[in-house]
mmCIF file of all heavy atoms in Angstrom:
data_model
loop_
_atom_site.group_PDB
_atom_site.id
_atom_site.type_symbol
_atom_site.label_atom_id
_atom_site.label_comp_id
_atom_site.label_asym_id
_atom_site.label_seq_id
_atom_site.Cartn_x
_atom_site.Cartn_y
_atom_site.Cartn_z
ATOM 1 N N LEU A 895 135.683 182.967 70.868
ATOM 2 C CA LEU A 895 135.127 183.303 69.476
ATOM 3 C C LEU A 895 133.853 184.206 69.699
ATOM 4 O O LEU A 895 133.164 184.141 70.607
ATOM 5 C CB LEU A 895 134.911 182.115 68.681
ATOM 6 C CG LEU A 895 135.911 181.209 68.353
ATOM 7 C CD1 LEU A 895 135.407 180.010 67.576
ATOM 8 C CD2 LEU A 895 136.966 181.879 67.505
ATOM 9 N N THR A 896 133.610 185.012 68.698
ATOM 10 C CA THR A 896 132.540 186.005 68.739
ATOM 11 C C THR A 896 131.349 185.589 67.819
ATOM 12 O O THR A 896 130.209 186.007 68.001
ATOM 13 C CB THR A 896 132.962 187.457 68.588
ATOM 14 O OG1 THR A 896 133.527 187.460 67.133
ATOM 15 C CG2 THR A 896 133.970 187.902 69.507
ATOM 16 N N GLY A 897 131.634 184.783 66.920
ATOM 17 C CA GLY A 897 130.636 184.384 65.806
ATOM 18 C C GLY A 897 130.232 182.964 66.129
ATOM 19 O O GLY A 897 130.836 182.264 66.875
ATOM 20 N N HIS A 898 129.305 182.461 65.272
ATOM 21 C CA HIS A 898 128.807 181.169 65.352
ATOM 22 C C HIS A 898 129.032 180.427 64.075
ATOM 23 O O HIS A 898 128.307 179.780 63.501
ATOM 24 C CB HIS A 898 127.287 181.147 65.693
ATOM 25 C CG HIS A 898 126.957 181.467 67.170
ATOM 26 N ND1 HIS A 898 127.066 182.707 67.731
ATOM 27 C CD2 HIS A 898 126.505 180.679 68.162
ATOM 28 C CE1 HIS A 898 126.701 182.768 68.906
ATOM 29 N NE2 HIS A 898 126.310 181.420 69.180
ATOM 30 N N GLU A 899 130.285 180.586 63.589
ATOM 31 C CA GLU A 899 130.598 179.963 62.342
ATOM 32 C C GLU A 899 131.817 178.943 62.604
ATOM 33 O O GLU A 899 132.468 178.951 63.568
ATOM 34 C CB GLU A 899 131.220 180.996 61.422
ATOM 35 C CG GLU A 899 130.317 182.100 60.968
ATOM 36 C CD GLU A 899 129.064 181.511 60.193
ATOM 37 O OE1 GLU A 899 129.311 180.524 59.558
ATOM 38 O OE2 GLU A 899 127.968 181.922 60.309
ATOM 39 N N PRO A 900 131.936 177.885 61.760
ATOM 40 C CA PRO A 900 132.910 176.848 61.877
ATOM 41 C C PRO A 900 134.339 177.517 61.909
ATOM 42 O O PRO A 900 134.564 178.513 61.176
ATOM 43 C CB PRO A 900 132.735 175.921 60.715
ATOM 44 C CG PRO A 900 131.261 176.232 60.344
ATOM 45 C CD PRO A 900 130.984 177.613 60.566
ATOM 46 N N ALA A 901 135.253 177.021 62.595
ATOM 47 C CA ALA A 901 136.580 177.463 62.756
ATOM 48 C C ALA A 901 137.624 176.489 63.242
ATOM 49 O O ALA A 901 137.229 175.393 63.704
ATOM 50 C CB ALA A 901 136.525 178.713 63.745
ATOM 51 N N VAL A 902 138.814 176.788 62.923
ATOM 52 C CA VAL A 902 139.983 175.979 63.537
ATOM 53 C C VAL A 902 140.724 176.885 64.369
ATOM 54 O O VAL A 902 141.249 177.980 63.952
ATOM 55 C CB VAL A 902 140.727 175.422 62.343
ATOM 56 C CG1 VAL A 902 141.995 174.620 62.950
ATOM 57 C CG2 VAL A 902 139.940 174.428 61.440
ATOM 58 N N VAL A 903 140.960 176.534 65.602
ATOM 59 C CA VAL A 903 141.732 177.421 66.583
ATOM 60 C C VAL A 903 142.953 176.574 67.024
ATOM 61 O O VAL A 903 142.749 175.413 67.499
ATOM 62 C CB VAL A 903 140.850 177.752 67.835
ATOM 63 C CG1 VAL A 903 141.628 178.735 68.738
ATOM 64 C CG2 VAL A 903 139.475 178.317 67.392
ATOM 65 N N ILE A 904 144.137 177.307 67.012
ATOM 66 C CA ILE A 904 145.325 176.562 67.431
ATOM 67 C C ILE A 904 145.944 177.581 68.378
ATOM 68 O O ILE A 904 146.514 178.625 67.989
ATOM 69 C CB ILE A 904 146.321 176.278 66.304
ATOM 70 C CG1 ILE A 904 145.639 175.322 65.295
ATOM 71 C CG2 ILE A 904 147.599 175.673 66.792
ATOM 72 C CD1 ILE A 904 146.497 174.946 64.040
ATOM 73 N N GLY A 905 145.926 177.118 69.666
ATOM 74 C CA GLY A 905 146.548 178.045 70.729
ATOM 75 C C GLY A 905 145.550 179.122 71.046
ATOM 76 O O GLY A 905 144.518 179.356 70.446
ATOM 77 N N LYS A 906 145.897 179.908 72.103
ATOM 78 C CA LYS A 906 144.867 180.921 72.550
ATOM 79 C C LYS A 906 144.731 182.070 71.467
ATOM 80 O O LYS A 906 145.749 182.552 71.014
ATOM 81 C CB LYS A 906 145.432 181.568 73.883
ATOM 82 C CG LYS A 906 144.456 182.428 74.516
ATOM 83 C CD LYS A 906 145.054 182.809 75.820
ATOM 84 C CE LYS A 906 144.035 183.729 76.623
ATOM 85 N NZ LYS A 906 144.482 184.138 78.024
ATOM 86 N N ASN A 907 143.485 182.227 71.125
ATOM 87 C CA ASN A 907 142.984 183.274 70.256
ATOM 88 C C ASN A 907 143.633 183.207 68.763
ATOM 89 O O ASN A 907 143.495 184.175 68.090
ATOM 90 C CB ASN A 907 143.406 184.699 70.805
ATOM 91 C CG ASN A 907 142.764 184.868 72.133
ATOM 92 O OD1 ASN A 907 141.553 184.474 72.334
ATOM 93 N ND2 ASN A 907 143.283 185.672 73.024
ATOM 94 N N GLN A 908 144.166 182.098 68.376
ATOM 95 C CA GLN A 908 144.769 181.961 67.144
ATOM 96 C C GLN A 908 143.771 181.267 66.184
ATOM 97 O O GLN A 908 143.787 180.009 65.957
ATOM 98 C CB GLN A 908 146.148 181.046 67.113
ATOM 99 C CG GLN A 908 147.088 181.887 68.031
ATOM 100 C CD GLN A 908 148.373 181.158 68.003
ATOM 101 O OE1 GLN A 908 148.813 180.573 66.979
ATOM 102 N NE2 GLN A 908 149.076 181.066 69.125
ATOM 103 N N VAL A 909 142.849 182.032 65.577
ATOM 104 C CA VAL A 909 141.840 181.357 64.653
ATOM 105 C C VAL A 909 142.408 181.444 63.316
ATOM 106 O O VAL A 909 142.825 182.417 62.707
ATOM 107 C CB VAL A 909 140.450 182.199 64.677
ATOM 108 C CG1 VAL A 909 139.561 181.629 63.779
ATOM 109 C CG2 VAL A 909 139.945 182.310 66.095
ATOM 110 N N MET A 910 142.499 180.251 62.582
ATOM 111 C CA MET A 910 143.075 180.196 61.273
ATOM 112 C C MET A 910 142.148 180.683 60.299
ATOM 113 O O MET A 910 140.868 180.335 60.207
ATOM 114 C CB MET A 910 143.436 178.652 61.054
ATOM 115 C CG MET A 910 144.471 178.161 61.935
ATOM 116 S SD MET A 910 145.080 176.508 61.357
ATOM 117 C CE MET A 910 146.072 177.013 59.945
ATOM 118 N N GLU A 911 142.606 181.502 59.336
ATOM 119 C CA GLU A 911 141.863 181.975 58.160
ATOM 120 C C GLU A 911 142.016 180.958 57.123
ATOM 121 O O GLU A 911 143.009 180.438 56.803
ATOM 122 C CB GLU A 911 142.300 183.348 57.741
ATOM 123 C CG GLU A 911 142.167 184.401 58.783
ATOM 124 C CD GLU A 911 142.584 185.770 58.199
ATOM 125 O OE1 GLU A 911 142.961 185.862 57.059
ATOM 126 O OE2 GLU A 911 142.539 186.725 59.016
ATOM 127 N N GLU A 912 140.850 180.585 56.429
ATOM 128 C CA GLU A 912 140.763 179.602 55.416
ATOM 129 C C GLU A 912 141.592 178.393 55.712
ATOM 130 O O GLU A 912 142.528 177.971 54.970
ATOM 131 C CB GLU A 912 141.327 180.207 54.067
ATOM 132 C CG GLU A 912 140.410 181.436 53.642
ATOM 133 C CD GLU A 912 140.934 182.170 52.348
ATOM 134 O OE1 GLU A 912 141.848 181.604 51.768
ATOM 135 O OE2 GLU A 912 140.316 183.009 51.854
ATOM 136 N N PRO A 913 141.222 177.717 56.761
ATOM 137 C CA PRO A 913 142.063 176.600 57.145
ATOM 138 C C PRO A 913 142.010 175.418 56.156
ATOM 139 O O PRO A 913 140.942 175.131 55.513
ATOM 140 C CB PRO A 913 141.321 176.154 58.521
ATOM 141 C CG PRO A 913 139.845 176.641 58.346
ATOM 142 C CD PRO A 913 140.066 177.919 57.553
ATOM 143 N N THR A 914 143.155 174.717 56.191
ATOM 144 C CA THR A 914 143.359 173.575 55.385
ATOM 145 C C THR A 914 144.148 172.677 56.228
ATOM 146 O O THR A 914 144.940 172.954 57.044
ATOM 147 C CB THR A 914 144.099 173.871 54.050
ATOM 148 O OG1 THR A 914 145.318 174.336 54.307
ATOM 149 C CG2 THR A 914 143.343 174.895 53.196
ATOM 150 N N PRO A 915 144.250 171.301 55.700
ATOM 151 C CA PRO A 915 145.066 170.417 56.479
ATOM 152 C C PRO A 915 146.587 170.742 56.378
ATOM 153 O O PRO A 915 147.309 170.610 57.340
ATOM 154 C CB PRO A 915 144.803 169.059 55.684
ATOM 155 C CG PRO A 915 143.385 169.110 55.241
ATOM 156 C CD PRO A 915 143.306 170.623 54.858
ATOM 157 N N ARG A 916 146.910 171.395 55.162
ATOM 158 C CA ARG A 916 148.402 171.688 54.958
ATOM 159 C C ARG A 916 148.656 172.821 56.056
ATOM 160 O O ARG A 916 149.715 172.812 56.579
ATOM 161 C CB ARG A 916 148.588 172.214 53.578
ATOM 162 C CG ARG A 916 149.876 172.798 53.283
ATOM 163 C CD ARG A 916 150.909 171.788 53.085
ATOM 164 N NE ARG A 916 152.299 172.359 52.994
ATOM 165 C CZ ARG A 916 152.708 172.801 51.810
ATOM 166 N NH1 ARG A 916 151.911 172.705 50.672
ATOM 167 N NH2 ARG A 916 153.856 173.363 51.771
ATOM 168 N N LYS A 917 147.845 173.811 56.253
ATOM 169 C CA LYS A 917 148.164 174.913 57.081
ATOM 170 C C LYS A 917 148.275 174.396 58.510
ATOM 171 O O LYS A 917 149.197 174.864 59.333
ATOM 172 C CB LYS A 917 147.065 176.005 57.030
ATOM 173 C CG LYS A 917 147.034 176.853 55.731
ATOM 174 C CD LYS A 917 145.967 177.895 55.897
ATOM 175 C CE LYS A 917 146.097 178.788 54.613
ATOM 176 N NZ LYS A 917 145.113 179.888 54.730
ATOM 177 N N VAL A 918 147.333 173.443 58.940
ATOM 178 C CA VAL A 918 147.444 172.935 60.309
ATOM 179 C C VAL A 918 148.835 172.040 60.333
ATOM 180 O O VAL A 918 149.424 172.288 61.422
ATOM 181 C CB VAL A 918 146.278 172.015 60.501
ATOM 182 C CG1 VAL A 918 146.396 171.280 61.800
ATOM 183 C CG2 VAL A 918 144.993 172.826 60.522
ATOM 184 N N ALA A 919 149.125 171.326 59.366
ATOM 185 C CA ALA A 919 150.356 170.553 59.440
ATOM 186 C C ALA A 919 151.561 171.423 59.615
ATOM 187 O O ALA A 919 152.419 171.175 60.292
ATOM 188 C CB ALA A 919 150.421 169.670 58.082
ATOM 189 N N GLN A 920 151.571 172.627 58.825
ATOM 190 C CA GLN A 920 152.677 173.477 59.003
ATOM 191 C C GLN A 920 152.811 174.120 60.392
ATOM 192 O O GLN A 920 153.905 174.240 60.848
ATOM 193 C CB GLN A 920 152.511 174.669 57.959
ATOM 194 C CG GLN A 920 152.721 174.256 56.506
ATOM 195 C CD GLN A 920 152.365 175.346 55.557
ATOM 196 O OE1 GLN A 920 151.427 176.153 55.716
ATOM 197 N NE2 GLN A 920 153.249 175.494 54.526
ATOM 198 N N ARG A 921 151.616 174.456 60.972
ATOM 199 C CA ARG A 921 151.713 174.992 62.325
ATOM 200 C C ARG A 921 152.148 173.915 63.316
ATOM 201 O O ARG A 921 152.755 174.330 64.284
ATOM 202 C CB ARG A 921 150.254 175.452 62.624
ATOM 203 C CG ARG A 921 150.131 176.106 64.008
ATOM 204 C CD ARG A 921 150.731 177.490 63.925
ATOM 205 N NE ARG A 921 150.480 178.238 65.166
ATOM 206 C CZ ARG A 921 151.350 178.065 66.262
ATOM 207 N NH1 ARG A 921 152.280 177.248 66.309
ATOM 208 N NH2 ARG A 921 151.076 178.828 67.367
ATOM 209 N N LEU A 922 151.872 172.697 62.988
ATOM 210 C CA LEU A 922 152.333 171.556 64.044
ATOM 211 C C LEU A 922 153.580 171.003 63.734
ATOM 212 O O LEU A 922 153.942 169.967 64.341
ATOM 213 C CB LEU A 922 151.155 170.593 64.163
ATOM 214 C CG LEU A 922 149.847 171.124 64.633
ATOM 215 C CD1 LEU A 922 148.788 169.958 64.682
ATOM 216 C CD2 LEU A 922 149.889 171.829 66.028
ATOM 217 N N GLY A 923 154.376 171.479 62.637
ATOM 218 C CA GLY A 923 155.589 170.818 62.406
ATOM 219 C C GLY A 923 155.538 169.655 61.631
ATOM 220 O O GLY A 923 156.590 168.849 61.575
ATOM 221 N N LEU A 924 154.443 169.223 61.056
ATOM 222 C CA LEU A 924 154.334 167.898 60.273
ATOM 223 C C LEU A 924 154.718 168.100 58.780
ATOM 224 O O LEU A 924 155.031 167.112 58.189
ATOM 225 C CB LEU A 924 152.839 167.426 60.325
ATOM 226 C CG LEU A 924 152.245 167.070 61.697
ATOM 227 C CD1 LEU A 924 150.772 167.009 61.704
ATOM 228 C CD2 LEU A 924 152.978 166.002 62.300
ATOM 229 N N ASP A 925 154.691 169.367 58.375
ATOM 230 C CA ASP A 925 155.035 169.598 56.961
ATOM 231 C C ASP A 925 156.514 169.897 56.939
ATOM 232 O O ASP A 925 156.918 171.014 57.324
ATOM 233 C CB ASP A 925 154.211 170.859 56.429
ATOM 234 C CG ASP A 925 154.568 171.147 55.021
ATOM 235 O OD1 ASP A 925 155.148 170.295 54.248
ATOM 236 O OD2 ASP A 925 154.245 172.283 54.555
ATOM 237 N N LEU A 926 157.266 168.865 56.591
ATOM 238 C CA LEU A 926 158.741 168.914 56.657
ATOM 239 C C LEU A 926 159.388 170.200 55.932
ATOM 240 O O LEU A 926 158.984 170.537 54.809
ATOM 241 C CB LEU A 926 159.315 167.704 56.002
ATOM 242 C CG LEU A 926 160.891 167.436 56.096
ATOM 243 C CD1 LEU A 926 161.411 167.341 57.457
ATOM 244 C CD2 LEU A 926 161.272 166.243 55.200
ATOM 245 N N ASP A 927 160.257 170.772 56.587
ATOM 246 C CA ASP A 927 161.088 171.873 55.970
ATOM 247 C C ASP A 927 162.021 171.221 55.008
ATOM 248 O O ASP A 927 163.215 170.894 55.465
ATOM 249 C CB ASP A 927 161.806 172.701 57.114
ATOM 250 C CG ASP A 927 162.482 173.856 56.510
ATOM 251 O OD1 ASP A 927 162.418 174.103 55.291
ATOM 252 O OD2 ASP A 927 163.206 174.535 57.260
ATOM 253 N N ILE A 928 161.637 171.203 53.797
ATOM 254 C CA ILE A 928 162.418 170.587 52.737
ATOM 255 C C ILE A 928 163.896 171.222 52.698
ATOM 256 O O ILE A 928 164.853 170.678 52.404
ATOM 257 C CB ILE A 928 161.780 170.497 51.419
ATOM 258 C CG1 ILE A 928 160.470 169.677 51.492
ATOM 259 C CG2 ILE A 928 162.757 169.929 50.316
ATOM 260 C CD1 ILE A 928 160.639 168.341 51.814
ATOM 261 N N CYS A 929 163.864 172.566 52.922
ATOM 262 C CA CYS A 929 165.160 173.260 52.728
ATOM 263 C C CYS A 929 166.270 172.832 53.691
ATOM 264 O O CYS A 929 167.449 173.035 53.478
ATOM 265 C CB CYS A 929 164.857 174.882 52.935
ATOM 266 S SG CYS A 929 163.756 175.509 51.703
ATOM 267 N N ALA A 930 165.805 172.167 54.822
ATOM 268 C CA ALA A 930 166.804 171.713 55.765
ATOM 269 C C ALA A 930 167.614 170.594 55.189
ATOM 270 O O ALA A 930 168.756 170.349 55.629
ATOM 271 C CB ALA A 930 166.060 171.256 57.041
ATOM 272 N N ASN A 931 167.048 169.821 54.333
ATOM 273 C CA ASN A 931 167.774 168.631 53.679
ATOM 274 C C ASN A 931 167.109 168.441 52.342
ATOM 275 O O ASN A 931 165.904 167.813 52.402
ATOM 276 C CB ASN A 931 167.649 167.469 54.710
ATOM 277 C CG ASN A 931 168.420 166.221 54.189
ATOM 278 O OD1 ASN A 931 169.281 166.374 53.103
ATOM 279 N ND2 ASN A 931 168.460 165.170 54.766
ATOM 280 N N ARG A 932 167.831 168.643 51.335
ATOM 281 C CA ARG A 932 167.158 168.500 49.999
ATOM 282 C C ARG A 932 167.526 167.055 49.302
ATOM 283 O O ARG A 932 167.001 166.758 48.254
ATOM 284 C CB ARG A 932 167.513 169.647 49.072
ATOM 285 C CG ARG A 932 166.834 170.981 49.599
ATOM 286 C CD ARG A 932 167.296 172.025 48.430
ATOM 287 N NE ARG A 932 166.642 173.327 48.607
ATOM 288 C CZ ARG A 932 165.416 173.566 48.187
ATOM 289 N NH1 ARG A 932 164.810 172.642 47.386
ATOM 290 N NH2 ARG A 932 164.849 174.713 48.499
ATOM 291 N N GLU A 933 168.536 166.412 49.925
ATOM 292 C CA GLU A 933 168.944 165.232 49.272
ATOM 293 C C GLU A 933 168.937 163.999 50.172
ATOM 294 O O GLU A 933 169.394 164.072 51.302
ATOM 295 C CB GLU A 933 170.329 165.421 48.719
ATOM 296 C CG GLU A 933 170.926 164.395 47.801
ATOM 297 C CD GLU A 933 172.299 164.684 47.201
ATOM 298 O OE1 GLU A 933 172.344 165.891 46.635
ATOM 299 O OE2 GLU A 933 173.081 163.872 47.320
ATOM 300 N N PHE A 934 168.412 162.980 49.680
ATOM 301 C CA PHE A 934 168.269 161.769 50.421
ATOM 302 C C PHE A 934 168.704 160.487 49.734
ATOM 303 O O PHE A 934 168.977 160.620 48.426
ATOM 304 C CB PHE A 934 166.679 161.454 50.825
ATOM 305 C CG PHE A 934 166.111 162.642 51.603
ATOM 306 C CD1 PHE A 934 165.611 163.768 51.133
ATOM 307 C CD2 PHE A 934 165.993 162.399 52.996
ATOM 308 C CE1 PHE A 934 165.187 164.739 51.922
ATOM 309 C CE2 PHE A 934 165.516 163.316 53.829
ATOM 310 C CZ PHE A 934 165.058 164.506 53.321
ATOM 311 N N ASP A 935 168.982 159.507 50.356
ATOM 312 C CA ASP A 935 169.332 158.244 49.725
ATOM 313 C C ASP A 935 167.975 157.637 48.855
ATOM 314 O O ASP A 935 168.103 157.166 47.764
ATOM 315 C CB ASP A 935 169.804 157.148 50.616
ATOM 316 C CG ASP A 935 171.199 157.440 51.209
ATOM 317 O OD1 ASP A 935 171.990 158.049 50.437
ATOM 318 O OD2 ASP A 935 171.362 157.123 52.387
ATOM 319 N N VAL A 936 166.941 157.713 49.606
ATOM 320 C CA VAL A 936 165.699 157.044 49.097
ATOM 321 C C VAL A 936 164.559 157.984 49.383
ATOM 322 O O VAL A 936 164.396 158.546 50.501
ATOM 323 C CB VAL A 936 165.413 155.660 49.829
ATOM 324 C CG1 VAL A 936 164.103 155.127 49.306
ATOM 325 C CG2 VAL A 936 166.589 154.764 49.814
ATOM 326 N N LEU A 937 163.886 158.210 48.284
ATOM 327 C CA LEU A 937 162.524 159.012 48.389
ATOM 328 C C LEU A 937 161.430 158.045 48.174
ATOM 329 O O LEU A 937 161.301 157.319 47.099
ATOM 330 C CB LEU A 937 162.554 160.088 47.323
ATOM 331 C CG LEU A 937 161.165 160.811 47.121
ATOM 332 C CD1 LEU A 937 160.791 161.601 48.388
ATOM 333 C CD2 LEU A 937 161.125 161.651 45.906
ATOM 334 N N ILE A 938 160.544 157.853 49.174
ATOM 335 C CA ILE A 938 159.376 156.993 49.140
ATOM 336 C C ILE A 938 158.179 157.843 48.888
ATOM 337 O O ILE A 938 157.871 158.514 49.821
ATOM 338 C CB ILE A 938 159.240 156.084 50.459
ATOM 339 C CG1 ILE A 938 160.548 155.319 50.628
ATOM 340 C CG2 ILE A 938 158.163 155.237 50.378
ATOM 341 C CD1 ILE A 938 160.693 154.785 51.994
ATOM 342 N N VAL A 939 157.455 157.767 47.911
ATOM 343 C CA VAL A 939 156.241 158.481 47.521
ATOM 344 C C VAL A 939 155.018 157.649 47.916
ATOM 345 O O VAL A 939 154.747 156.701 47.165
ATOM 346 C CB VAL A 939 156.281 158.862 46.124
ATOM 347 C CG1 VAL A 939 155.101 159.866 45.895
ATOM 348 C CG2 VAL A 939 157.543 159.534 45.750
ATOM 349 N N GLY A 940 154.359 157.902 48.950
ATOM 350 C CA GLY A 940 153.255 157.191 49.390
ATOM 351 C C GLY A 940 153.402 156.624 50.772
ATOM 352 O O GLY A 940 154.387 156.030 51.029
#
């Protein structure tokens, strides 16, 4: 990094712009790709 500002870095030189938990989750595969399966027996919210 060249500046002295807070940042989130994922992998070499990959500084996230306007980082959020959601963006990090997407990068790490935690944010399920709903399109892969849209129908379930049970949806548990929470």
